[in-house]
Amino acid sequence: MRRGLELCALAAALASPAFGQQVRQVGPTVRYGKWAAAAAAVGFTVLAVRTNQQADRDYQRLSQFCENVAPCRIGPDGRYDNPDAERLYRLVTRQDREARLWLVLGQGAVVATVALFVMELRQRGEPRNIPFQRLIVEPGGGGLRVGLRLR
């Protein structure tokens, strides 16, 4: 939770007017880095989901093992008496920690993506990478007006 607040504070600082005063033109790092950060956010989130699903499957295996194969008693030290059950339990807890890490990394990549998009929006002047400068798209009476600007 605290890390999330720190990342939000960083994004707010990047989006502040004081920071925007310092950004004159964005370089290729910002221009292409925002897309790399977005791809990282998607990739980390996919890894988090897959790891969590595997942990759920292994937890089901542990439950079935305890119901069908051997009773799973927990000893006074908090561990399963059966070494196979303890091994499965440790695997599940490790996978849960990994899934949490992937999810936090994905959230951090989302914050970085937003910050990079804001940095690009705060640049001075017209962006150089608009391919259709003559295309007009604007709200019109009761709909959207689309057209071409001719000289």
Side-chain angles (χ1 to χ4, degrees), residues 73-95:
R73 291 189 207 97
I74 297 177
D77 60 351
R79 298 173 188 239
Y80 285 102
D81 289 337
N82 186 316
D84 292 331
E86 180 65 22
R87 182 186 55 77
L88 276 172
Y89 178 73
R90 286 180 184 261
L91 177 66
V92 169
T93 56
R94 181 181 56 82
Q95 289 169 337

Side-chain angles (χ1 to χ4, degrees), residues 87-129:
R87 182 186 55 77
L88 276 172
Y89 178 73
R90 286 180 184 261
L91 177 66
V92 169
T93 56
R94 181 181 56 82
Q95 289 169 337
D96 278 340
R97 281 192 305 272
E98 286 178 11
R100 190 177 317 123
L101 173 66
W102 289 127
L103 192 57
V104 168
L105 288 172
Q107 291 170 344
V110 166
V111 170
T113 302
V114 169
L116 291 170
F117 268 96
V118 169
M119 285 173 64
E120 188 172 43
L121 285 175
R122 308 280 302 178
Q123 74 179 356
R124 298 281 186 231
E126 188 175 317
R128 290 180 286 162
N129 61 350

Side-chain angles (χ1 to χ4, degrees), residues 135-147:
L135 181 66
I136 300 170
V137 180
E138 58 188 23
L144 187 67
R145 194 173 100 181
V146 179

